[in-house]
RNA sequence: GGGCUCGUAGAUCAGGGGUAGAUCGUCACGUUUGCAACGUGAAGGCCACGGGUUCAAAUCCCGUCGAGUCCA
């Protein structure tokens, strides 16, 4: 990035100078002309530890200081967004304040909720999970405080100078000494955008980043910049994207040894107490160790083997052995990590993430299990649910949507679930360890990878258990990266966006007037064809609903003066609606009469309205946390996926169905209005976005029976028009997601008639009244089982009887039975083996549809497996088995006597060898 | 969204083409004042479901359903 980007008037007015760091060579601005170091790690240590650089604040007071400062400076305060980024499909968790405004606001499609604005956004980043607790500064959850300004060609809010000035003023307002502040030039690239940026440093700590997002990947007529091999071009929209670390500011204001002691002191001392560690912060030696540890950690990246390096350095500085240091500090690190993780979970679960094995649910489970392991290591009995609840109380109950009792239940269920996984894992490992011990081999790496990958057993745990069993396990240092390598082999195919290719064609066309919203019960309209290409007709207005929001497109016909065509698909590209037609063509300028297939449209509207009703009913029955995780409406049936942490029981399902139908019978008006996005979000909350986040300045708000959503679909005018809802089934799609399949209106009637038909025909088949069907079926099944057993008893009787009638001949002192016995294979085998058990030999053949042959040998000279093959080949079949017992058969019934004769000869021959 | 593992008796699991097994639990009888323990015996299996391959499938192949787990 060009140097002149940083030549701000503000810097110059303030008498600041641009210097080059003696240590790292980066450029930075400072008021202190004697300064030679940029102020960033690793060039400068954390010298604020023990020497706070701001007036003391806790999280709440610092946040308020920040937000109210920027409010006074003309910014509008915006409520935080959830930590689960449900409005985005590229990330699961909110990772920065700017993430709230991506992609619609930052791309200029949607205006920001306010401009300029200020916000304190809780963010979760799990990429440095290993460092949390150890480094003294890493957190999974932090609040990114920000002031954002969105500059357009027509409206300039403020840009670099004012941003830096505001930053200075804020730092001064919390007691920071501006002479100690440095601004380090640090060009920023990320997520397809780029721009100049400065890091704001004080006391060795980076407390904020001021990003001036002004470049994008999209080519414009202005000259571009080559940044790390990619071209970036100036954008129309220039965004001030700042990020101030709330926790870091609090840390710097307290100067405590670690960030953890600064931001959640109550929880740290609580967890230390629970772990039986005396509160070490009262002990000066411990504080010194912690401070040193944090200072050194600040200077290095401590992932993997670097941890040992850190220990060595700190140990050398305080003159104890690294091992002793490790014993002192490891429990502390686990306490810190536990406190951090439980806070993270308070946010995750409080913001309605349901733990599961996919998507953000997996991330929640990952954190839960890490925490449970640490609680075990620290020998803390206190339930995870209690710790999360305390964190929730500290943050503030009111900040969360999810009910605390549900959060607790989820935590308890997850704890149990993990316990049973561990139990199962232990058994599997013991088994495998025994196997390899018996073979006196080491447990191979492939087994360990399978155990981890498929059963979720941590390698360290495998080693512990296997060692107890006496088996040898080698664990490579790079175990996890080996597993990762294995996974990276599978690649994703890029999705082809069919709509994208019409983008340009459509740009010259006016937005299509959407009649289906105003006149949702009409089916006929007139329009003028504005364009026709690729089988798609664009008209000035339409009643045809385009595919969207899980609702399929309408179908119907269009009639012009010359032709009549079928409309078989309708899509929306931007604000223009494209009708795909077949059976003819239309021309630009044609006047057409459109007719929507009435029954289909009504069915879709009923199903769509029913989706809202069921969602509301499910909330009533299952709890306020119920969220839609996806939905597909159809003309015959529809389905809706719900986020829920346990199986929906048949009884709950019936209650949902009943509640839904009561809502229909209440026949309330469906209210549809257009409201300002920001106001709607504040009024109704983010539960508006059940089916994703629609773009645009305004939202179309649909209220159905107490359910309020931003929804673009077509709906009935009142709940009564839905007619009836019949739930077909509930399926468990994944951990944490239940799918309800249902049908509405006439389709529901057809479905119930179909069910009735099934019952009637089943009852007829058994000649009973439908009411008696369950009892009769049960009776039949148990009778069938009884008879099966009876047959078994009988056949063993038959075997016994046959045994008595078998005449054994003696060959070479061995009793041999060769006979045709017409019994099924199983009985023949029983019969034969009872002969061979006494050292004899039995060759038995029975005729059913084909010939079945069994040869059992109690004499080592006679190999049953070899002889049976020759016998069976005479019968036109094959056979085989073990030396002691062989079975086979063939289709040539007529050859049975010959086959037995040959068998006899072979047995005699074998005995004489 | 992708990968992997697993579905066998009430529970936990062996068996991995050739007669369905073990341990615990249950029941009965015996020993015992009673319990525990022990002994003897019994009951208990659509080997998840549906196809296919084979003379023969719990076992191999394909699909479905269910459970678990790793990763993005």
């Amino acid at each position: 990035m060009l140097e002149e980007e940083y030549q701000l008037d503000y810097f110059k007015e303030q008498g600041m100078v641009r210097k080059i760091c003696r240590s790292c060579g980066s450029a930075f601005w400072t008021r202190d002309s004697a300064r030679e170091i940029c102020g960033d790690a690793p060039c400068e240590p954390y010298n604020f530890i023990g020497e706070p650089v701001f007036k003391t604040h806790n999280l709440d007071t610092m946040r308020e200081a920040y937000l109210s400062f920027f409010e006074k400076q003309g910014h509008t305060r915006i409520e935080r967004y959830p930590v689960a980024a449900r409005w985005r499909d590229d990330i699961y968790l909110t990772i920065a304040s700017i993430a709230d405004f991506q992609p619609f606001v930052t791309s200029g499609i949607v205006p920001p909720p306010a401009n300029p604005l200020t916000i304190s956004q809780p963010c979760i980043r799990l990429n440095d999970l290993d460092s949390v607790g150890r480094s003294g500064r890493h957190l999974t959850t932090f609040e990114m405080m920000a002031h954002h300004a969105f500059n357009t060609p027509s409206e300039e809010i403020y840009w670099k100078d004012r941003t830096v000035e505001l930053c200075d003023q804020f730092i001064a307002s919390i007691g920071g000494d501006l002479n100690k502040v440095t601004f380090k030039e640090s060009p920023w690239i990320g997520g397809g955008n780029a721009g100049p940026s400065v890091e704001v440093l004080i006391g060795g700590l980076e407390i904020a980043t001021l990003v001036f997002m002004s470049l994008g990947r999209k080519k414009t007529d202005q000259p571009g910049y080559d940044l790390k091999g990619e071209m970036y071009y100036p954008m129309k929209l220039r965004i001030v994207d700042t990020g101030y670390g709330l926790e870091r500011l609090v840390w710097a204001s307290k100067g405590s040894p670690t960030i953890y002691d600064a931001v959640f002191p109550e929880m740290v001392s609580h967890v230390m107490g629970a772990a039986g560690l005396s509160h070490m912060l009262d002990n000066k030696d411990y504080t010194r160790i912690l401070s040193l540890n944090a200072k050194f950690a600040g200077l290095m990246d401590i992932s993997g083997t670097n941890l040992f390096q850190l220990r060595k350095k700190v140990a050398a500085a305080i003159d104890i052995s690294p091992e002793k240091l490790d014993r002192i500090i490891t429990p502390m690190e686990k306490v810190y990590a536990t406190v951090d993780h439980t806070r993270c979970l308070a946010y995750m679960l409080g913001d309605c993430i349901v733990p599961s094995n996919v998507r953000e649910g997996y991330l929640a489970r990952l954190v839960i299990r890490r925490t449970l392991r640490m609680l075990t290591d620290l020998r803390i009995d206190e339930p995870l649910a209690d710790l999360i609840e305390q964190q929730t109380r500290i943050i503030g109950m009111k900040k969360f949507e999810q009910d605390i009792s549900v959060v607790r239940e989820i935590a308890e269920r997850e704890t149990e679930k993990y316990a049973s996984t561990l139990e199962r894992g232990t058994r599997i490992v013991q088994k495998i360890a025994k196997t390899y011990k018996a073979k006196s081999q080491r447990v191979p790496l492939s087994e360990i990878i399978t155990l981890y990958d498929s059963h979720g057993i941590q390698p360290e745990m495998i080693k512990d258990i296997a060692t107890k069993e006496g088996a040898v396990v080698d664990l490579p240092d790079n175990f996890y990266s080996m597993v990762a390598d294995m996974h990276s082999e599978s690649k994703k195919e890029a999705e082809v966006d069919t709509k994208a290719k019409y983008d340009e064609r459509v740009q010259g066309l006016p937005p299509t007037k959407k009649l289906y919203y105003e006149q949702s019960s009409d089916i006929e309209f007139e329009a003028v064809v504005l364009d026709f290409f690729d089988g798609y007709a664009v008209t000035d207005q339409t009643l045809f609903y385009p595919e969207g929001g899980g609702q399929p497109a309408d179908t119907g016909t269009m009639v012009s003066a010359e032709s009549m065509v079928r409309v078989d698909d309708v899509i929306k590209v931007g604000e223009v609606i494209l009708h795909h037609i077949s059976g003819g063509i239309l021309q630009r300028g044609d006047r057409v009469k459109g007719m929507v297939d009435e029954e289909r449209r009504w069915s879709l509207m009923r199903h769509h309205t029913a989706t809202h009703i069921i969602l509301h009913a499910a909330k009533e029955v299952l709890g306020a946390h119920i969220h839609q995780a996806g939905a597909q409406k159809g003309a015959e049936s529809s389905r809706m996926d719900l986020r829920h942490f346990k199986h929906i029981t048949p009884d709950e399902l019936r209650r949902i169905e009943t509640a839904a139908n009561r809502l229909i019978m209440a026949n309330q008006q469906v209210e549809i209005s257009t409201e300002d996005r920001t106001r709607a979000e504040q009024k109704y909350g983010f539960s508006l976005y059940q089916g994703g986040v629609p773009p645009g300045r305004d939202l179309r708000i649909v209220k159905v029976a107490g359910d309020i959503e931003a929804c673009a679909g077509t709906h009935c005018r009142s709940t009564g028009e839905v007619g009836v809802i019949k739930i077909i089934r509930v399926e468990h799609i994944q951990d944490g997601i239940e799918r309800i399949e249902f049908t509405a209106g006439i389709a529901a009637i057809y479905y119930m008639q179909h069910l009735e038909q099934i019952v009637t025909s089943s009852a007829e088949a058994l000649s009973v009244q439908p009411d008696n069907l369950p009892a009769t079926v049960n009776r039949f099944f148990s009778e069938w089982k009884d008879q099966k057993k009876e047959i078994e008893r009988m056949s063993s009787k038959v075997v016994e009887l046959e045994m008595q009638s078998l005449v054994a001949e003696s060959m070479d002192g061995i009793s041999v039975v060769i006979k045709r016995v017409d019994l099924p294979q199983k009985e023949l085998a029983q019969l034969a083996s009872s002969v061979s058990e006494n050292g004899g030999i039995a060759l038995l053949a029975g005729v059913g549809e084909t010939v079945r042959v069994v040869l059992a040998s109690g004499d080592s000279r006679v190999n049953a497996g070899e002889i049976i093959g020759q016998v069976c080949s005479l019968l036109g079949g094959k056979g085989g088995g073990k030396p002691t017992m062989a079975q086979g058969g063939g289709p040539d019934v007529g050859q049975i006597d010959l086959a037995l004769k040959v068998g006899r000869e072979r047995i005699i021959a074998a005995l004489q060898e």
Side-chain angles (χ1 to χ4, degrees):
Chain A
M1 193 73 56
L2 300 171
E3 231 181 87
E4 48 267 36
E5 291 281 356
Y6 301 97
Q7 299 289 333
L8 305 186
D9 292 342
Y10 178 77
F11 284 152
K12 290 170 189 165
E13 283 162 16
Q14 291 288 314
M16 295 171 77
V17 285
R18 183 172 190 271
K19 307 199 98 181
I20 302 295
C21 178
R22 193 186 59 197
S23 168
C24 67
S26 308
F28 64 95
W29 292 80
T30 175
R31 288 184 170 84
D32 178 1
S33 56
R35 182 177 260 281
E36 295 192 318
I37 289 171
C38 66
D40 200 2
C43 307
E44 186 166 332
Y46 284 175
N47 47 39
F48 68 92
I49 293 180
E51 293 170 46
V53 293
F54 304 127
K55 281 179 280 188
T56 307
H57 278 288
N58 65 26
L59 288 178
D60 290 331
T61 60
M62 183 63 88
R63 186 192 302 112
E64 188 50 39
Y66 182 91
L67 294 173
S68 52
F69 172 84
F70 282 95
E71 255 179 343
K72 278 187 204 121
Q73 301 297 329
H75 295 69
T76 306
R77 186 190 295 217
I78 300 294
E79 283 300 307
R80 79 162 177 103
Y81 283 48
V83 294
R86 299 224 168 80
W87 58 94
R88 297 186 57 171
D89 52 12
D90 51 344
I91 51 173
Y92 298 127
L93 299 171
T94 307
I95 52 168
S97 64
I98 196 69
D100 298 348
F101 310 107
Q102 287 166 326
F104 300 120
V105 175
T106 51
S107 60
I109 294 172
V110 173
N115 199 6
L117 61 83
T118 184
I119 188 168
S120 186
Q121 177 60 46
C123 300
I124 297 179
R125 293 185 188 176
L126 300 180
N127 18 0
D128 289 320
L129 212 46
D130 276 333
S131 303
V132 174
R134 283 177 179 163
S135 67
R137 69 176 191 280
H138 281 97
L139 297 165
T140 54
T141 315
F142 62 95
E143 274 184 57
M144 187 183 279
M145 301 193 293
H147 57 107
H148 294 297
F150 303 87
N151 299 297
T152 64
S154 59
E155 192 185 19
E156 179 82 10
I157 308 296
Y158 59 78
W159 194 230
K160 291 184 266 192
D161 291 275
R162 177 65 177 153
T163 303
V164 176
E165 183 185 4
L166 284 168
C167 178
D168 258 355
Q169 288 175 0
F170 168 68
I171 290 172
S173 79
I174 55 170
D177 177 358
L178 294 183
N179 289 317
K180 289 183 181 165
V181 176
T182 53
F183 294 90
K184 182 178 164 186
E185 297 178 10
S186 164
W188 175 88
I189 304 174
N193 292 109
S197 150
V198 291
E199 290 174 5
V200 184
L201 303 147
I202 183 167
L205 187 69
E206 179 188 344
I207 53 164
T209 308
L210 313 175
V211 175
F212 304 99
M213 210 192 275
S214 53
L215 303 173
R217 298 295 313 281
K218 200 174 169 187
K219 201 172 179 209
T220 58
D221 42 15
Q222 297 186 59
Y225 299 85
D226 186 327
L227 300 174
K228 293 190 178 168
E230 306 267 18
M231 290 303 290
Y232 287 83
Y233 302 91
M235 302 188 295
K236 280 184 189 158
L237 192 67
R238 290 170 300 122
I239 300 166
V240 173
D241 172 20
T242 64
Y244 294 68
L246 169 60
E247 287 78 3
R248 286 186 170 206
L249 288 168
V250 170
W251 186 19
S253 86
K254 291 190 176 175
S256 56
T258 72
I259 197 167
Y260 318 111
D261 304 305
V263 300
F264 24 63
E266 316 93 320
M267 275 308 275
V268 169
S269 56
H270 175 82
V271 175
M272 284 217 187
L277 303 167
S278 57
H279 198 309
M280 295 177 172
L281 294 181
D282 299 336
N283 182 318
K284 277 196 178 142
D285 288 336
Y286 283 125
T287 332
R288 196 164 78 88
I289 295 174
L290 283 175
S291 307
L292 270 171
N293 199 58
K295 275 191 185 179
F296 280 112
L299 300 179
M300 56 196 289
D301 167 33
I302 50 146
S303 51
T305 49
N306 287 344
L307 182 64
F308 184 62
Q309 299 298 327
L310 173 67
R311 291 279 190 274
K312 269 191 4 198
K313 273 193 182 172
V314 179
I318 54 175
D319 199 26
I320 60 170
S321 72
E323 292 74 24
K324 189 175 173 195
L325 176 69
D326 197 66
R327 272 201 303 281
I328 294 170
I329 214 160
T330 301
M332 299 285 295
E333 290 175 343
K334 284 185 175 155
V335 167
Y336 289 143
T338 301
V339 176
D340 166 88
H341 289 9
T342 48
R343 180 161 170 258
C344 178
L345 289 169
Y347 272 105
M348 282 178 147
L349 303 182
D351 279 359
C352 293
I353 293 179
V354 173
S356 76
N357 52 8
V358 289
R359 304 169 64 92
E360 72 272 16
Y362 170 72
L363 299 175
R365 180 165 289 163
L366 182 81
V367 177
I368 287 174
R369 295 196 167 183
R370 272 185 79 92
T371 313
L372 289 170
R373 277 199 295 278
M374 287 186 293
L375 290 177
T376 311
D377 289 348
L378 290 169
R379 299 174 203 283
I380 294 179
D381 305 328
E382 196 168 345
L384 179 64
D386 285 3
L387 292 172
I388 295 175
E389 178 168 349
Q390 287 169 54
Q391 290 283 23
T392 309
R393 289 188 188 285
I394 290 169
I395 299 163
M397 284 293 195
K398 284 185 188 155
K399 295 192 177 177
F400 297 106
E401 201 186 340
Q402 183 74 286
D403 199 86
I404 189 66
S405 63
V406 176
V407 170
R408 288 195 60 99
E409 191 178 349
I410 290 174
E412 282 156 12
R413 288 180 64 88
E414 284 295 313
T415 306
E416 281 168 31
K417 229 175 162 144
Y418 186 51
S420 67
T421 296
L422 283 186
E423 219 182 281
R424 186 173 37 244
T426 308
R427 279 197 307 266
I428 297 173
V429 175
Q430 282 172 343
K431 201 174 79 193
I432 288 177
K434 273 178 194 158
T435 313
Y436 284 98
K437 193 196 169 193
K439 289 196 265 182
S440 51
Q441 287 173 358
R442 285 158 187 271
V443 179
L445 187 60
S446 61
E447 287 278 13
I448 300 170
I449 291 178
T450 308
L451 285 170
Y452 172 68
D453 210 23
S454 304
H455 302 286
I457 313 167
Q458 302 294 313
E460 296 78 16
M461 192 185 141
I462 298 172
K463 193 165 181 171
D464 280 356
I465 298 167
T467 310
K468 271 182 204 144
E469 293 294 324
V472 185
V473 178
D474 298 325
L475 273 186
D477 288 339
N478 58 343
F479 178 81
Y480 290 100
S481 57
M482 290 177 73
V483 176
D485 282 350
M486 229 171 56
H487 286 288
S488 62
E489 281 167 22
S490 58
K491 274 182 190 169
K492 252 192 216 168
E493 277 177 42
E495 239 178 83
V496 187
D497 191 356
T498 49
K499 285 182 178 182
K501 62 181 177 185
Y502 298 122
D503 267 354
E504 259 178 61
R505 177 94 190 201
V506 152
Q507 275 191 352
L509 295 168
T512 312
K513 195 173 173 205
K514 302 176 192 85
L515 299 174
Y516 50 80
Y517 282 150
E518 293 104 68
Q519 309 158 24
S520 58
S521 47
D522 287 2
I523 55 153
E524 282 185 25
F525 68 103
E526 287 184 0
V528 178
V529 176
L530 301 179
D531 201 354
F532 183 75
F533 54 91
D534 259 15
Y536 284 104
V538 177
T539 52
D540 60 338
Q541 54 180 2
T542 188
L543 262 180
F544 284 98
Y545 181 82
E547 196 273 320
Q551 181 174 333
D554 282 332
T555 59
T557 52
M558 277 192 186
V559 185
S560 72
E562 285 87 37
S563 63
M564 174 172 157
V565 295
R566 265 312 284 169
V567 175
D568 52 27
D569 194 20
V570 187
I571 59 171
K572 193 172 161 213
V573 180
E575 287 302 302
V576 179
I577 292 164
L578 279 59
H579 307 81
H580 190 267
I581 61 166
S582 58
I585 57 162
L586 293 174
Q587 281 176 350
R588 200 174 295 187
D590 278 355
R591 297 195 72 82
V592 293
K593 189 174 168 188
M595 284 177 66
V596 175
D597 289 338
E598 188 175 11
E599 193 163 331
R600 180 183 157 86
R601 155 61 79 80
W602 266 101
S603 191
L604 289 171
M605 289 202 303
R606 287 196 171 104
H607 278 101
H608 196 140
T609 310
T611 309
H612 291 258
I613 294 172
I614 293 177
L615 183 65
H616 191 68
K619 272 188 193 173
E620 272 181 15
V621 173
L622 302 174
H625 64 284
I626 290 297
H627 267 66
Q628 183 180 309
Q632 182 63 54
K633 291 97 184 178
E636 274 87 47
S637 69
S638 299
R639 56 186 165 78
M640 174 166 51
D641 297 343
L642 297 179
R643 241 175 267 277
H644 191 41
F645 51 91
K646 54 185 177 187
H647 289 2
I648 297 175
T649 63
D651 178 57
E652 284 168 339
L653 203 61
R654 275 191 293 274
R655 276 158 56 206
I656 291 170
E657 189 178 79
T658 309
N661 281 291
R662 280 191 207 286
L663 290 168
I664 289 174
M665 288 176 236
N667 197 21
Q668 289 173 343
Q669 286 296 308
V670 170
E671 290 173 39
I672 298 172
S673 57
T674 303
E675 298 190 36
D676 173 78
R677 176 181 291 263
T678 316
R679 212 168 305 151
E681 282 176 355
Q682 279 161 4
K683 207 152 102 190
Y684 309 116
F686 286 93
S687 64
L688 275 180
Y689 301 137
Q690 296 281 346
V693 179
R697 177 188 287 268
D698 297 322
L699 294 177
R700 184 167 182 267
I701 303 295
V702 178
K703 298 183 192 171
V704 183
D707 175 70
I708 303 171
E709 290 180 41
C711 183
T714 55
H715 299 80
C716 300
R717 287 163 298 194
S718 66
T719 57
E721 284 188 348
V722 175
V724 62
I725 288 174
K726 175 77 194 126
I727 292 179
I728 298 174
R729 67 172 73 88
V730 63
E731 261 181 302
H732 178 66
I733 297 298
Q734 300 163 339
D735 226 10
I737 297 185
E738 302 287 304
R739 171 170 295 173
I740 291 182
E741 217 173 309
F742 63 93
T743 173
I746 286 291
I749 300 293
Y750 290 157
Y751 176 73
M752 287 189 271
Q753 288 171 346
H754 170 68
L755 281 186
E756 193 185 18
Q757 173 58 26
I758 291 173
V759 172
T760 313
S761 59
S762 306
E764 266 171 24
L766 299 172
S767 303
V768 294
Q769 292 298 312
D771 278 350
N772 294 334
L773 197 54
T776 308
V777 170
N778 277 331
R779 204 189 78 222
F780 273 36
F781 187 65
S782 61
E783 274 178 16
W784 172 77
K785 276 191 349 188
D786 287 347
Q787 287 178 1
K788 211 177 92 166
K789 271 176 233 157
E790 189 58 28
I791 290 170
E792 254 169 49
R793 268 194 292 276
M794 304 275 278
S795 72
S796 62
K797 270 268 158 51
V798 172
V799 169
E800 249 174 66
L801 287 172
E802 283 290 342
M803 271 298 285
Q804 289 164 15
S805 68
L806 280 185
V807 183
E809 47 192 315
S810 183
M811 291 182 191
D812 204 20
I814 290 174
S815 58
V816 177
V817 179
I818 295 170
K819 198 182 174 199
R820 170 171 173 176
V821 184
D822 287 347
L823 285 176
Q825 177 129 8
K826 208 168 141 187
E827 279 73 31
L828 286 183
Q830 275 175 25
L831 210 49
S833 64
S834 62
V835 173
S836 66
E837 271 162 24
N838 301 320
I841 294 164
L843 173 62
L844 305 174
V847 176
E849 278 178 34
T850 60
V851 185
R852 314 294 324 155
V853 189
V854 176
L855 173 55
S857 163
D859 190 290
S860 59
R861 285 171 293 180
V862 177
N863 187 325
E866 283 175 15
I867 294 172
I868 197 95
Q870 292 163 16
V871 175
C872 291
S873 67
L874 287 169
L875 298 163
K878 290 179 192 167
K882 298 175 289 192
T884 51
M885 161 64 84
Q887 301 175 54
D892 295 346
V893 179
Q895 299 291 315
I896 186 164
D897 292 330
L898 177 66
L900 287 175
K901 191 172 159 236
V902 171
R904 170 190 294 272
E905 286 161 7
R906 296 283 299 121
I907 292 168
I908 291 167
L911 285 172
Q912 283 169 353
E913 260 176 32

